[in-house]
Amino acid sequence: MTKAIKPPHQSVSTVELFFDLVFVFMVTQLTHLVEHAHGWSDFALAASILVLLWWLYSGWLWLVSTLGVGLQLRVVLIVSMAGFLAMATALPRMETDGIKLFAMAYLAVVLLHSAAFIQFGRTAHVKAIAIMAPFNFGAAAFVLGAAWMDAQWRMPLLVMGAIGLLAASALPRPHGFTLQAGHFSERHGLVILIAFGEGIIAIASSAKDFPFDSRLAGVCTLGMLLIVGLWWRYFSGDDEAARHRLEAASTAHREQLGAVYWQTHLVLIAGVVLISAGIKSVVAQTGTDMEAGVLLSVGTAFFLAGHGIFRVRLGLGRGSLAGWAAVVALLCIPLAIESGRVVSLGALILMLFGLIAADAWTTDPRRVVSTR
């Protein structure tokens, strides 16, 4: 069995950044699905796809953080990019012929992921991935069933596949993955940063067909400020504190904290997707004020709740401020109905920067250092 040599202080490589470019397209396609959703079934479809994709994508993150990136693994990563690209391309046609392409690409990437662990990992790595394999291939089986069974089974099977992965994320992680703390934390931060990029793309793509005037400049600025507030919230020190928490944890406990990363960052990404769709609605003046307000408010609430849970589960501080802020974000929905989506967007920005200021006032400045 070929052994992968893992550097003692692994940093994110350029091939991983290249790999992450596919994630931008995946988030863009998911935002497109949400933007054109017409009912709860459409949102359930988008949510199920997000869970399935984030599980699979995160699996590759665990692979590289465990084994490092040698020449052979670089080739494997690039090959897997083709599978992820095929899945992203198929997303707009998931309710028709696209689901078959999605299913075949999903199975191929699962097979490639398992084969990489077996070929390049040590015995402990192979045992660990063998424990996770039933969940990986079980999800692929649900997706394949949704692709080739009658259309009436498509939604239930995708939802069941996503629920199975959510349940799997709550189970104890098998020992043996030996995650590199700094690399693991940095990759998750980069994923969130890339997701923010979709918000910027949403502003630009929605504004291109309108004449530049004061209204367009104003709403684009507001959309940008909301993204900046989310960025500030995530990268205001908790990302570094979480990295130090991972470094201080035992190998076994680090793997359990890795599952917390997966769960909370799933919520964060879902929030960014909803917000991006809401920003597109505001800039392009599509949909109703209520629809735009729901996307923006629920997305912001998701992001704040996910970040608050992240802080609590990693022992970085209390999440009560984020919890109350998430409630306030939801209260902006009736504001959108009564005063319009732009007013609601402005209120969310004020609330978000107020939360940042309050959190900075109440947070111990030694918090990051003390976790070393």
Side-chain angles (χ1 to χ4, degrees):
M1 185 182 298
T2 304
K3 296 292 190 295
I5 299 175
K6 182 175 60 179
H9 299 289
Q10 184 179 334
S11 59
V12 176
S13 62
T14 54
V15 71
E16 293 173 81
L17 298 176
F18 188 38
F19 181 76
D20 286 346
L21 291 177
V22 181
F23 193 76
V24 179
F25 187 41
M26 289 164 55
V27 174
T28 298
Q29 296 290 67
L30 283 169
T31 302
H32 179 80
L33 285 181
V34 171
E35 182 187 4
H36 293 88
H38 298 293
W40 288 109
S41 61
D42 291 337
F43 284 106
L45 174 64
S48 299
I49 292 170
L50 174 58
V51 173
L52 290 163
L53 287 176
W54 176 235
W55 178 273
L56 189 56
Y57 197 87
S58 183
W60 285 88
L61 191 156
W62 280 64
L63 171 72
V64 174
S65 187
T66 299
L67 302 183
V69 185
L71 177 60
Q72 292 172 304
L73 261 181
R74 290 186 182 190
V75 175
V76 173
L77 276 174
I78 292 171
V79 173
S80 70
M81 285 176 63
F84 280 108
L85 184 61
M87 285 184 273
T89 303
L91 287 184
R93 303 190 302 274
M94 283 294 287
E95 295 186 357
T96 54
D97 59 332
I99 191 170
K100 291 185 178 180
L101 172 61
F102 182 91
M104 290 186 292
Y106 196 95
L107 177 61
V109 174
V110 169
L111 286 167
L112 191 60
H113 178 260
S114 297
F117 259 116
I118 294 170
Q119 178 66 22
F120 304 114
R122 296 192 296 269
T123 302
H125 302 146
V126 176
K127 289 180 178 179
I129 196 61
I131 295 173
M132 300 304 298
F135 302 108
N136 297 337
F137 285 96
F142 276 112
V143 175
L144 287 167
W148 270 274
M149 291 184 69
D150 292 339
Q152 62 183 347
W153 290 101
R154 184 171 300 151
M155 177 66 70
L157 287 171
L158 289 175
V159 171
M160 285 189 290
I163 290 174
L165 295 181
L166 290 172
S169 73
L171 297 175
R173 272 289 201 263
H175 302 329
F177 286 114
T178 59
L179 298 174
Q180 289 284 323
H183 175 271
F184 189 79
S185 176
E186 185 179 357
R187 278 299 302 277
H188 279 84
L190 288 171
V191 165
I192 295 300
L193 196 62
I194 288 170
F196 289 156
E198 170 54 29
I200 306 302
I201 293 171
I203 295 172
S205 63
S206 302
K208 62 182 176 61
D209 296 326
F210 292 88
F212 188 80
D213 54 19
S214 58
R215 181 223 164 251
L216 185 63
V219 294
C220 288
T221 300
L222 289 176
M224 183 69 181
L225 284 173
L226 184 60
I227 300 299
V228 168
L230 298 175
W231 166 82
W232 201 326
R233 178 65 180 163
Y234 184 91
F235 292 101
S236 60
D238 286 335
D239 55 322
E240 283 295 308
R243 177 173 67 85
H244 297 316
R245 187 71 70 192
L246 285 177
E247 289 174 344
S250 64
T251 300
H253 185 49
R254 186 180 299 167
E255 292 165 2
Q256 305 312 314
L257 293 178
V260 173
Y261 262 86
W262 185 87
Q263 295 162 348
T264 54
H265 282 65
L266 171 66
V267 180
L268 292 172
I269 295 168
V272 174
V273 169
L274 290 172
I275 290 168
S276 298
I279 289 175
K280 293 185 74 171
S281 179
V282 173
V283 175
Q285 304 181 63
T286 58
T288 65
D289 286 335
M290 184 184 73
E291 291 169 345
V294 167
L295 289 172
L296 290 169
S297 296
V298 174
T300 304
F302 268 34
F303 190 91
L304 294 175
H307 187 259
I309 296 170
F310 176 71
R311 294 188 69 182
V312 172
R313 293 288 301 276
L314 268 81
L316 308 180
R318 293 179 299 175
S320 55
L321 274 177
W324 284 111
V327 173
V328 173
L330 294 175
L331 294 177
C332 289
I333 296 175
L335 181 62
I337 297 172
E338 291 296 324
S339 302
R341 65 188 82 182
V342 177
V343 174
S344 175
L345 176 56
L348 286 170
I349 293 168
L350 290 175
M351 179 275 298
L352 188 55
F353 279 95
L355 171 64
I356 292 168
D359 196 55
W361 183 266
T362 58
T363 298
D364 183 354
R366 300 168 298 175
R367 171 173 56 88
V368 175
V369 177
S370 65
T371 59
R372 288 185 184 271

